[in-house]
Amino acid sequence: MTGRQGDCADDERAAVRDLARRLVADVFPSSRARAVAHKGGAPDAGLDRELASAGLLGLELPEEYGGGGGSFVELAVVLEALGEHVGASTLLSSAVLCCGALSLAGTGAQRERWLPLLAAGSVCGTVALGEWFSAPGARDRVVAKRADGAWELTGRVGHVPDARVSRLLLLPARTPDGWLVALAGSSAAGLSVTPQAQTDRTRCLDDIVLDAVGIRDADVLALDTPGAPDATRLLTALANRAAVAVAADSVGNARRVLGMTVGHVRQRRQFDRPIGSFQAVKHQAADMLVNLETSAALVDDAARALALEPSSCDLAASLAKDHACELAARNAGTALQLHGGIGYTWEYDLHLYFKRALLNEFLFGEPRWHRDRVLRGLF
Amino acid sequence: MPGIRAPQLPPDELRAGVRQWCAEHLPHDWRERQTGASHDEFIRFQHWWFGELRAAGYAVPHWPQSWGGGFDLARQAVIFEELARADAPRLSLHFVSLHHAAGTFLDAGTPEQRDRYPPEILDGAVWCQGFSEPEAGSDLASLRTRAERRGDVYVVNGQKIWASGAADAQHCLLLVRTDPSAPKRRGISYLVMDMDSPGVLVRPIRQITGEEHFCEIFLTDVRIPVGNLIGAENDGWRVAQSTLASERGGTMIELAERLAVGLRRLLLEAAGPEGSPPTADTVVGDRLARLAREAQALRLLVRQVITRPGSELAQGAHASVVKLYYSELLQRLTAFGMELAGLDGQRATRRAPGSGWESGAWLLDHIGSWEWTIPGGTSEIQRNIIAERALGLPREPAA
Ligand SMILES: Cc1cc2nc3c(=O)[nH]c(=O)nc-3n(C[C@H](O)[C@H](O)[C@H](O)COP(=O)(O)OP(=O)(O)OC[C@H]3O[C@@H](n4cnc5c(N)ncnc54)[C@H](O)[C@@H]3O)c2cc1C
């Protein structure tokens, strides 16, 4: 397992983890998370600036674009650190999805134009992956039509992360031969973004409606042609990146939630003893740790697989997503229980984690979607 | 012959070698022949199979190279995985000698002990573990079997119980109390006892599966040379922790691979007409997908625990996480197998001794899964260890 390309040494990872944890904890204390939540969720621009100046937004990009020359393995570590603080950053939309797409499929010109801006955080980008994960017959659908030597996109897609602040939008659409992925500016004619409030107010997921949005060939990132499913391969890779990113967020979430819980049950006394000395409490805490450790193992494995072969690690990605996200949500529920009344109050941070964990379970592929992929991967 | 003493072979070549070796050496009908075999036939078969594995260099991949092993973790996994896939018998008779005894000597043995016992084990010596007593189960530290030092022997009196394989063993890893006045954990010593010593009486106990596998051991004025002490006198509790850690940690590579094979068996049983997968929308599909992710998590966790013992979890708690997760996952997996088999699965069947607990005789496999949630520290005790050592939660106040 050592020496794989895209593998990064444990101490290197630990260094990135320390940096990210410290930075996020400093610039994004829980009061900021609550502030984001109170405003109804827009990514925290200050946090993004700090991440960018620490080189974390471009961590995975080559140095020529102002990146850190790392791999998805390190990016996952930063995502986990953000998850520990329910960080409201555009790391997911911009670095994981948009940079990922451009790195995997962009032309030289497209990369040179956008990657340095994305790495510096001066432009935010996103990918409208929604339809990729939706069930057949769902109402999300974007269709690409050839007209006058260009493409024309029409339809709608929901749950696009950070669309409201993104200047650069990557839009998957269906063509007669499969898929196309187009690059569009947020001010393109016929394109409109509608913010959608979520119960988890630390993430923003928006709807995009496209009404005959014109795309020049130079702005096509990937296109399926008979025998060359380039766009499908790209979208598969992006779906895997999205899934593992959310799983990493859930691992961070679970780590922090366990820490909060342990802190609480050690200090809170009932019946003249710390409640953490009651076995009924202890055993639930032990199960939380087992859930966390198994999740971390799967996410670590998936991140490594992703760094190697982004479009052929479906099984590892779906195993990690399904396991980590479900168990983080379960852990957050257990934490709520073990906190008693205080955990159920708005002023206490736990609900931010609980809601984020619940959203993660459904974001970028509902459980059934990933379990189907697991089953297909096994047979 | 492929694979002989080849700890440095590239993993792919090693895999091909083990696979070919299995094809040539594993009797394809061993299950049929062993099902319903007499105890003596089982013992003979285990010794024979151990000899075969030893000749190929696959018996003790997890041991140090100077002891005849020396395979790194990835290669150990390859060997155990291929043996499990080929449906090879487990070395159940040798389980304690290969894992508990070896782990203990590696950690705390004197040079003489290390020179003597591992080669004997390779020659087939069988060991048992005499820890539990009728009044000392989960609270092992309250054990009362007494050892008094007289000159250069300990004279031992007391009783052990549930000792697996004791009727067939030549040696016993024995925990005794050498200082009754010291606090519970401080007065315990760790001895090697020859099972044919005068004063040792072994009585097999019939267990839930119908087999007579674990035993009572009665000890009356048994004389054990002082040189058989492992670790310092009264320091046996600490040594016992490394025995238990090897039971809860290292053995798990093999068990995790066996479990993954059990999952594959379930997949085959649940497959549609053309081997098509069930969908996640069905109960069967949903359960299978969950079990799959858990089986994979176990395999990764085991590798991680062994390669990165110093990571964020405190020592000792790691092994408990693995043991707890393995044993309870085994229970879920075999219960699901039983569900797929339905009422027909309840008809009396037998399974071959030496099968993994994922033999496909799901009812027996399921019953057998309690062999992991009880011994070596019950699931409740593992949860206590995890909560106290890894999470730093307060101990239960003494009653
Ligand atoms: C198949 C099998 C093979 C075995 N092989 C061996 C062997 O080779 N050598 C050997 O020495 N022993 C062996 N054992 C014994 C095994 O280690 C003990 O059975 C085990 O440690 C439990 O002890 P006990 O049976 O006395 O149960 P008890 O300790 O009485 O436990 C009964 C129940 O109470 C619970 N309990 C006890 N204390 C606590 C606590 N503090 N907190 C919460 N719950 C608690 C337990 O979890 C369990 O559910 C074997 C047992 C089995 C079943």
Side-chain angles (χ1 to χ4, degrees):
Chain A
M1 271 185 284
T2 48
R4 286 207 318 203
Q5 184 212 339
D7 214 18
C8 95
D10 281 352
D11 44 353
E12 219 170 287
R13 247 162 32 117
V16 174
R17 186 189 305 274
D18 282 352
L19 170 68
R21 273 184 180 162
R22 241 181 307 114
L23 192 147
V24 185
D26 283 355
V27 304
F28 199 75
S30 61
S31 56
R32 285 282 276 279
R34 280 200 298 271
V36 170
H38 285 299
K39 280 192 306 191
D44 186 285
L47 176 60
D48 274 343
R49 256 195 315 278
E50 296 289 340
L51 289 175
S53 66
L56 297 179
L57 279 188
L59 189 57
E60 196 196 10
L61 298 176
E63 280 153 29
E64 51 182 309
Y65 301 122
S71 76
F72 194 88
V73 178
E74 285 128 313
L75 195 55
V77 167
V78 180
L79 287 157
E80 193 188 313
L82 273 172
E84 288 185 43
H85 297 273
V86 285
S89 150
T90 60
L91 188 76
L92 176 63
S93 50
S94 220
V96 173
L97 295 180
C98 193
C99 290
L102 286 163
S103 300
L104 287 166
T107 62
Q110 288 166 343
R111 290 192 225 186
E112 271 158 40
R113 163 104 203 268
W114 294 109
L115 287 179
L117 297 174
L118 291 162
S122 46
V123 164
C124 170
T126 190
V127 182
L129 275 179
E131 186 186 345
W132 187 258
F133 293 105
S134 62
R139 63 195 178 117
D140 281 2
R141 194 164 175 91
V142 177
V143 178
K145 208 170 67 184
R146 196 75 190 156
D148 300 333
W151 292 95
E152 200 178 87
L153 270 49
T154 299
R156 50 149 285 157
V157 54
H159 314 290
V160 184
D162 303 327
R164 70 191 76 168
V165 295
S166 293
R167 252 177 63 196
L168 180 63
L169 303 164
L170 301 195
L171 307 168
R174 298 197 191 247
T175 71
D177 291 321
W179 289 87
L180 162 151
V181 181
L183 214 143
S186 55
S187 54
L191 188 154
S192 62
V193 174
T194 317
Q196 295 287 328
Q198 307 293 321
T199 302
D200 167 16
R201 303 200 199 183
T202 68
R203 278 212 204 275
C204 49
L205 298 173
D206 305 323
D207 289 358
I208 297 181
V209 174
L210 306 166
D211 181 10
V213 175
I215 304 287
R216 299 173 306 148
D217 283 336
D219 287 330
V220 169
L221 199 65
L223 178 66
D224 284 348
T225 52
D230 291 338
T232 297
R233 198 172 306 122
L234 173 63
L235 288 167
T236 303
L238 291 175
N240 288 335
R241 290 171 68 87
V244 180
V246 172
D249 187 80
S250 276
V251 168
N253 185 302
R255 201 179 292 288
R256 180 80 186 97
V257 161
L258 178 58
M260 288 169 79
T261 305
V262 167
H264 180 74
V265 303
R266 283 168 62 149
Q267 157 265 311
R268 170 77 173 163
R269 297 176 71 88
Q270 292 289 289
F271 304 97
D272 299 324
R273 30 194 279 216
I275 56 174
S277 68
F278 292 106
Q279 244 178 23
V281 170
K282 259 183 179 164
H283 285 192
Q284 293 194 64
D287 284 338
M288 288 171 76
L289 179 75
V290 174
N291 292 344
L292 168 63
E293 289 296 319
T294 52
S295 299
L298 284 168
V299 170
D300 184 58
D301 186 63
R304 286 168 199 268
L306 198 50
L308 276 176
E309 281 297 337
S311 58
S312 52
C313 60
D314 299 9
L315 181 60
S318 283
L319 288 169
K321 162 73 166 75
D322 194 38
H323 193 83
C325 294
E326 178 179 319
L327 294 185
R330 190 186 304 166
N331 275 11
T334 303
L336 197 59
Q337 180 70 22
L338 297 185
H339 274 79
I342 185 80
Y344 206 71
T345 50
W346 188 265
E347 280 311 305
Y348 198 73
D349 290 342
L350 195 55
H351 73 102
L352 300 173
Y353 288 87
F354 193 24
K355 289 169 188 168
R356 174 78 82 95
L358 290 172
L359 172 60
N360 283 357
E361 221 184 325
F362 294 89
L363 187 58
F364 298 136
E366 295 181 6
R368 265 182 305 174
W369 193 91
H370 286 286
R371 283 177 206 156
D372 260 326
R373 225 164 57 139
V374 165
L375 291 169
R376 283 198 306 275
L378 289 173
F379 275 84
Chain B
M1 206 172 355
I4 295 183
R5 301 259 176 279
Q8 316 312 340
L9 270 188
D12 287 347
E13 277 177 45
L14 178 66
R15 185 181 296 283
V18 183
R19 198 169 286 182
Q20 188 192 335
W21 183 86
C22 285
E24 288 164 6
H25 289 78
L26 183 66
H28 60 93
D29 60 345
W30 75 268
R31 271 182 196 282
E32 293 89 273
R33 285 203 277 141
Q34 277 292 294
T35 303
S38 71
H39 185 72
D40 284 350
E41 284 164 341
F42 164 65
I43 301 291
R44 260 200 309 278
F45 181 70
Q46 283 275 311
H47 278 298
W48 171 79
W49 179 236
F50 184 69
E52 292 288 292
L53 284 171
R54 183 192 171 179
Y58 301 146
V60 288
H62 58 296
W63 283 13
Q65 184 147 21
S66 57
W67 292 9
F71 290 84
D72 66 14
L73 197 78
R75 290 176 175 86
Q76 288 174 40
V78 166
I79 294 174
F80 287 125
E81 193 176 31
E82 287 304 320
L83 288 171
R85 271 202 194 150
D87 205 16
R90 298 194 56 220
L91 291 172
S92 38
L93 179 67
H94 301 271
F95 189 63
V96 172
S97 51
L98 294 177
H99 296 286
H100 306 62
T104 305
F105 289 118
L106 196 57
D107 188 60
T110 62
E112 296 76 39
Q113 289 164 348
R114 291 182 186 207
D115 283 346
R116 176 178 165 195
Y117 293 119
E120 273 190 18
I121 291 173
L122 278 181
D123 286 339
V126 172
W127 287 63
C128 65
Q129 177 179 330
F131 282 19
S132 306
E133 297 182 9
E135 301 303 324
S138 299
D139 186 12
L140 181 60
S142 68
L143 62 90
R144 292 203 294 234
T145 291
R146 184 81 177 90
E148 280 172 74
R149 184 159 174 172
R150 297 208 198 125
D152 49 10
V153 294
Y154 289 102
V155 178
V156 181
N157 282 284
Q159 183 193 348
K160 295 288 169 180
I161 197 165
W162 318 128
S164 300
D168 305 305
Q170 282 83 58
H171 303 291
C172 177
L173 299 166
L174 189 72
L175 285 184
V176 294
R177 186 160 302 284
T178 34
D179 183 355
S181 61
K184 278 205 289 193
R185 294 172 187 222
R186 301 264 171 74
I188 293 172
S189 297
Y190 201 129
L191 297 171
V192 174
M193 177 172 77
D194 289 346
M195 291 300 282
D196 58 7
S197 312
V200 177
L201 175 70
V202 177
R203 214 160 57 194
I205 303 172
R206 190 158 190 209
Q207 59 190 37
I208 192 167
T209 52
E211 301 154 307
E212 293 186 346
H213 181 58
F214 54 23
C215 307
E216 289 177 290
I217 308 177
F218 300 92
L219 305 163
T220 315
D221 290 333
V222 180
R223 297 164 72 83
I224 299 179
V226 169
N228 286 19
L229 188 66
I230 309 178
E233 189 173 281
N234 295 326
D235 197 26
W237 183 255
R238 196 189 54 75
V239 180
Q241 297 315 302
S242 73
T243 308
L244 291 172
S246 79
E247 170 167 16
R248 293 168 193 161
T251 59
M252 288 293 161
I253 297 187
E254 177 189 3
L255 295 173
E257 297 307 335
R258 294 261 172 194
L259 190 136
V261 170
L263 176 77
R264 239 168 273 145
R265 199 164 269 152
L266 275 182
L267 290 170
L268 290 178
E269 290 183 18
E274 279 98 43
S276 58
T279 93
D281 265 343
T282 61
V283 174
V284 168
D286 184 77
R287 294 275 288 280
L288 272 177
R290 283 164 184 271
L291 288 168
R293 71 190 211 205
E294 292 169 349
Q296 181 65 0
L298 174 72
R299 297 176 73 212
L300 294 168
L301 200 65
V302 167
R303 284 163 169 67
Q304 215 180 58
V305 164
I306 297 166
T307 48
R308 292 193 217 143
S311 63
E312 292 196 3
L313 276 183
Q315 275 286 11
H318 252 131
S320 291
V321 169
V322 170
K323 200 257 184 189
L324 177 66
Y325 195 65
Y326 167 71
S327 58
E328 296 193 349
L329 173 55
L330 182 65
Q331 228 146 55
R332 291 194 288 278
L333 185 120
T334 53
F336 186 53
M338 203 169 62
E339 258 183 74
L340 288 183
L343 183 57
D344 274 345
Q346 297 287 318
R347 291 181 210 270
T349 46
R350 295 209 248 182
R351 62 203 289 289
S355 304
W357 294 115
E358 312 83 23
S359 73
W362 293 114
L363 172 60
L364 295 178
D365 289 340
H366 185 57
I367 292 171
S369 69
W370 269 266
E371 188 157 326
W372 296 101
T373 49
I374 298 173
T378 62
S379 293
E380 289 72 25
I381 296 301
Q382 303 306 332
R383 287 191 168 86
N384 286 349
I385 292 174
I386 293 166
E388 287 164 16
R389 289 198 208 151
L391 299 178
L393 293 185
R395 298 178 63 85
E396 197 87 350

